[in-house]
Amino acid sequence: MNGIHDMGGMHGMGAVEYETNEPVFHTEWERRAFAVTVAMGAWRKWNIDMSRYARELMPPAEYLATTYYEHWLFGLEKLLADSAFVGPEETDARERVAAAGGSLATSARPAEGALRPADVQRFLQNRKAARTSDPVPPKFKRGDRVVARRANPVGHTRLPRYVRGRQGVIDRDHGVFIFPDTHAAGLGRKPQHVYSVRFSAQELWGPEASPREAVYADLWDDYLDHA
């Protein structure tokens, strides 16, 4: 989808600010947001591409005004509601209590199948990667000139706007992976090859760009056509 999250190549956003020795989490709530997201993912009600798409649905103004893990919380709340784990009224009640400085403690026992602390390491180690062993033939080979499709998908996609309609060259074939566009929509894995495609800076940014610079983008078969 053409959401505010796809900021590659956009102007007017200011310089990238680097934080020296940046910690993994800046606050305790960020650590908890990550942990709860992982724990709820163990129920297999959604996949990683569905999670990404849920975050991308945050309203643009809110997205730009919030932090990385606030995006995670937005996506998690949507997934929980869509999967009937938590109702909107429960989320609203918890926010009201938290704003008042209280807590909603519960003595409920974890449901059968819930991720427990002792199982976390095994769960993380056994997570299935997006790479697959499906015997899918490649559509392109190294050195082929290709053009990224000029598309405006309504759902999740990993095709950046700034390369759409631009010509590049296949640099390498990474192998076969799950196609995120269909995976995020619950339409199946649709395995296909992913390539590192070299786009010259001048092809992307115009003749004033450096002729010595290039951008490499990892793109699926369905994003590309022969030039």
Side-chain angles (χ1 to χ4, degrees):
M1 62 180 294
N2 297 331
I4 191 61
H5 65 281
D6 187 3
M7 301 177 68
M10 293 180 66
H11 298 283
M13 295 297 173
V16 176
E17 297 182 5
Y18 293 94
E19 182 178 346
T20 303
N21 299 321
E22 182 178 6
V24 177
F25 304 105
H26 290 82
T27 62
E28 181 58 27
W29 76 260
E30 291 184 343
R31 186 191 307 274
R32 292 177 64 86
F34 176 80
V36 173
T37 299
V38 171
M40 295 310 299
W43 288 99
R44 307 295 187 187
K45 297 293 186 180
W46 55 79
N47 59 54
I48 189 170
D49 293 309
M50 291 175 177
S51 293
R52 290 174 175 142
Y53 182 45
R55 296 167 202 152
E56 293 164 4
L57 294 173
M58 177 180 275
E62 184 178 353
Y63 190 96
L64 292 175
T66 49
T67 62
Y68 179 73
Y69 280 108
E70 286 177 294
H71 302 165
W72 275 52
L73 278 176
F74 175 92
L76 178 60
E77 287 185 8
K78 176 169 176 52
L79 291 168
L80 291 174
D82 291 348
S83 301
F85 276 115
V86 178
E89 66 284 351
E90 294 177 272
T91 301
D92 293 342
R94 186 171 294 277
E95 290 179 349
R96 289 195 299 270
V97 172
S103 64
L104 288 175
T106 177
S107 59
R109 295 176 60 83
E112 185 64 31
L115 184 66
R116 289 169 168 76
D119 300 324
V120 170
Q121 184 173 356
R122 177 175 53 83
F123 173 71
L124 293 176
Q125 290 176 338
N126 293 338
R127 297 191 71 179
K128 295 181 180 179
R131 184 187 294 275
T132 78
S133 57
D134 296 78
V136 180
K139 294 182 179 179
F140 309 97
K141 64 181 184 303
R142 184 177 183 184
D144 282 354
R145 293 199 60 81
V146 295
V147 59
R149 293 180 178 176
R150 193 182 295 276
N152 293 288
V154 296
H156 177 67
T157 185
R158 305 299 293 276
L159 176 61
R161 276 179 299 191
Y162 72 93
V163 304
R164 297 176 193 174
R166 305 296 185 178
Q167 293 190 24
V169 178
I170 301 293
D171 181 74
R172 70 190 65 182
D173 185 341
H174 291 303
V176 180
F177 289 77
I178 293 171
F179 187 49
D181 298 44
T182 55
H183 203 221
L187 299 177
R189 298 159 65 248
K190 199 180 182 182
Q192 54 192 265
H193 284 255
V194 175
Y195 311 88
S196 176
V197 184
R198 183 185 186 278
F199 296 91
S200 72
Q202 291 186 334
E203 173 68 13
L204 296 176
W205 320 124
E208 295 182 356
S210 169
R212 299 187 301 171
E213 296 179 356
V215 171
Y216 291 78
D218 289 340
L219 302 177
W220 278 252
D221 272 317
D222 277 8
Y223 296 157
L224 300 169
D225 292 308
H226 285 283

